[in-house]
Amino acid sequence: MPETKALLPAIATLAASAMLVQSIANDFIPDKLWNYFYSGLHNISRHFSSQLTIVIHNISRHFSSQLTIVIDEFQGLFPNEIFEAAHAYLGAIYKDAKEKKLAVSVDRGEELADVYENVQVKWKLIYVQVKSPFARHRGDLNASLRQEARFYELTFHKKHKEKVLNSYLPYILERSKEIKREHKEVNFHTVERRRWFPDAVKLDHPMTFKLLAMDTELKKAVLDDLNNFINGKEFYRRVGKAWKRGYLLYGPPGTGKSSLIAAMANHLNYDIYELDLTNVNSNSDLSKLLFSMPNQSIIVFEDVDCTIKLKNGEPRDESRRNNNKTQVTLSGLLNFLDGFPSCCGEERIIIFTTNHKDRLHPALLRPGRMDMHIHMSYCTTSAFKQLAFNYHGLCHHNLFTQIEGLIREVEVTPAEVAGQLMKSKNAHIALQCLFDFLLEKKIQHKGEEES
């Protein structure tokens, strides 16, 4: 320790001298020599006390011609826009450099060089293990929900600092938007251990509004509503509302609720985040999941009447007495839908699905929470024609009139109609199977009424 104290005045003198000569020395001493000196000081620092290590680190950082900026994945509870932009931008560079069409991002620990207006920069993706469930990684408040925290290191020459901050990073933000539009894939996300599972699955669902077997007028109404939503940024700002939209899909099983969600996701090019409330422990965890979702996304509560007991008129503490492990309450879910947490993001679609609309609490159904109620009914004649065209390319057939008449008389789901049409590749045989199936349903229903 005495030797360390004796060295401190000398180190301080060295630092003062460095400040005087740095501007001259940088013009005459090559960067490689400075970097060699910089790494040497780090090696020396390992042999002295922590106090001296700090002093040497500061001096070495002062002498180095390189500047490193750290870009965390999250800022507090919210995704860092610059991190997401850099991830998309560097993924495109990585594909070009490696000539691999399947590469989508930089590997962990790998350095990637880039040049912008003759300025050379280096990027490195760093992973840090989160050791404690209560740990925080710098300003990343979501780190406790993940096993690892990620951040990028961006390194460049100090003299280019202004250009990097004021020109290069804004360029990456704009370029990443173009890349996302060009290469966006719709992904499917689920919850695991109170967080979104990091490895999303590509939603390779071919359903579109053009193929969707749904009442024609209702399908047009839904499509128009979605288009008004995605083009409504200025409208939502003008009226002072959060840029989000809620849809309630209700009706019997097999009426196409999941197909409609897939068509919406493909039309908007939004990822789907499926949230089973039985996997969420508390209202706080529910809010954290919302905070960690990106903009331009769809969150789906499938069979919401089954996953949590929030019935009309139940006592306030009923959700705590049911058999589910979840402690999410009605007030917590309402706050999720239109409270302050719901305002922390833009262009979000919230979808509830249920087979029994009457089982949902009225507070969940009002405008502002569920803005559009979509009744997914039994098969209509227009939906049948769409299915006949999808499966057999038919627009007309001599059995159409009889089948349409039966569809008006019996309750049959689009899924049941599709099942009959798939029984044969021969269009006439398939339609005959459907006709016989509908006729049997009619006879069975008539017999039940008479008995």
Side-chain angles (χ1 to χ4, degrees), residues 142-400:
N142 275 306
S144 62
L145 301 179
R146 308 190 308 279
Q147 295 179 345
E148 292 180 315
R150 299 189 300 174
F151 60 91
Y152 275 110
E153 287 185 349
L154 172 60
T155 304
F156 51 89
H157 198 287
K158 286 181 177 179
K159 66 183 179 181
H160 300 307
K161 178 181 176 181
E162 294 301 320
K163 177 171 283 190
V164 169
L165 295 180
N166 299 326
S167 183
Y168 180 57
L169 290 180
Y171 163 76
I172 287 179
L173 286 171
E174 292 303 316
R175 182 71 185 100
S176 68
K177 293 177 182 177
E178 298 175 6
I179 293 170
K180 289 177 181 178
R181 283 194 293 268
E182 294 170 0
H183 304 287
K184 178 74 166 67
E185 292 180 343
V186 176
N187 292 317
F188 183 77
H189 306 255
T190 56
V191 172
E192 182 184 81
R193 297 179 182 178
R194 300 183 301 154
R195 63 188 177 95
W196 295 114
F197 189 66
D199 297 324
V201 178
K202 180 182 176 182
L203 184 71
D204 195 17
H205 199 301
M207 182 55 66
T208 64
F209 275 96
K210 185 176 181 180
L211 298 174
L212 187 64
M214 185 178 178
D215 180 77
T216 304
E217 292 185 4
L218 181 57
K219 179 162 60 172
K220 182 179 184 304
V222 174
L223 191 56
D224 289 344
D225 192 80
L226 287 173
N227 290 333
N228 288 335
F229 170 76
I230 60 177
N231 295 315
K233 182 175 183 177
E234 294 305 319
F235 169 78
Y236 280 88
R237 286 187 179 276
R238 189 171 70 250
V239 300
K241 293 185 64 177
W243 193 7
K244 62 181 180 65
R245 191 79 171 155
Y247 295 89
L248 173 69
L249 313 186
Y250 67 98
T255 51
K257 292 186 285 292
S258 297
S259 294
L260 175 57
I261 293 171
M264 294 169 76
N266 287 328
H267 178 70
L268 298 171
N269 214 13
Y270 287 6
D271 281 7
I272 295 177
Y273 290 75
E274 185 181 60
L275 185 52
D276 183 347
L277 289 174
T278 59
N279 292 330
V280 183
N281 292 339
S282 66
N283 295 336
S284 176
D285 288 342
L286 186 62
S287 295
K288 287 179 181 178
L289 288 168
L290 180 62
F291 291 148
S292 61
M293 283 177 57
N295 295 334
Q296 298 183 336
S297 54
I298 298 174
I299 183 165
V300 178
F301 296 81
E302 285 265 26
D303 298 321
V304 68
D305 58 300
C306 299
T307 57
I308 188 169
K309 304 299 182 182
L310 297 173
K311 295 182 181 179
N312 183 8
E314 72 172 4
R316 290 183 61 184
D317 61 344
E318 178 67 22
S319 62
R320 295 182 177 272
R321 297 203 299 267
N322 62 41
N323 295 325
N324 295 331
K325 294 181 180 179
T326 180
Q327 296 298 311
V328 175
T329 64
L330 174 61
S331 62
L333 185 56
L334 297 179
N335 190 51
F336 178 93
L337 294 175
D338 64 356
F340 285 115
S342 69
C343 301
C344 301
E346 293 184 331
E347 286 189 83
R348 285 177 177 159
I349 300 288
I350 301 171
I351 298 177
F352 279 4
T353 74
T354 179
N355 297 334
H356 307 282
K357 181 181 177 181
D358 58 312
R359 294 182 183 178
L360 297 181
H361 197 288
L364 292 171
L365 306 179
R366 71 164 179 79
R369 290 170 182 154
M370 293 295 105
D371 301 289
M372 187 174 188
H373 296 199
I374 304 172
H375 181 211
M376 305 299 293
S377 65
Y378 289 105
C379 191
T380 63
T381 55
S382 59
F384 157 67
K385 290 179 179 178
Q386 182 64 61
L387 288 170
F389 180 80
N390 291 349
Y391 285 93
H392 295 286
L394 294 176
C395 293
H396 303 284
H397 192 276
N398 56 9
L399 285 175
F400 269 26

Side-chain angles (χ1 to χ4, degrees), residues 18-45:
M19 294 177 66
L20 293 175
V21 303
Q22 184 191 23
S23 59
I24 300 175
N26 281 341
D27 294 333
F28 295 97
I29 300 177
D31 290 343
K32 289 184 178 179
L33 185 57
W34 277 123
N35 293 335
Y36 176 78
F37 179 59
Y38 169 73
S39 60
L41 283 174
H42 273 291
N43 292 331
I44 294 172
S45 70

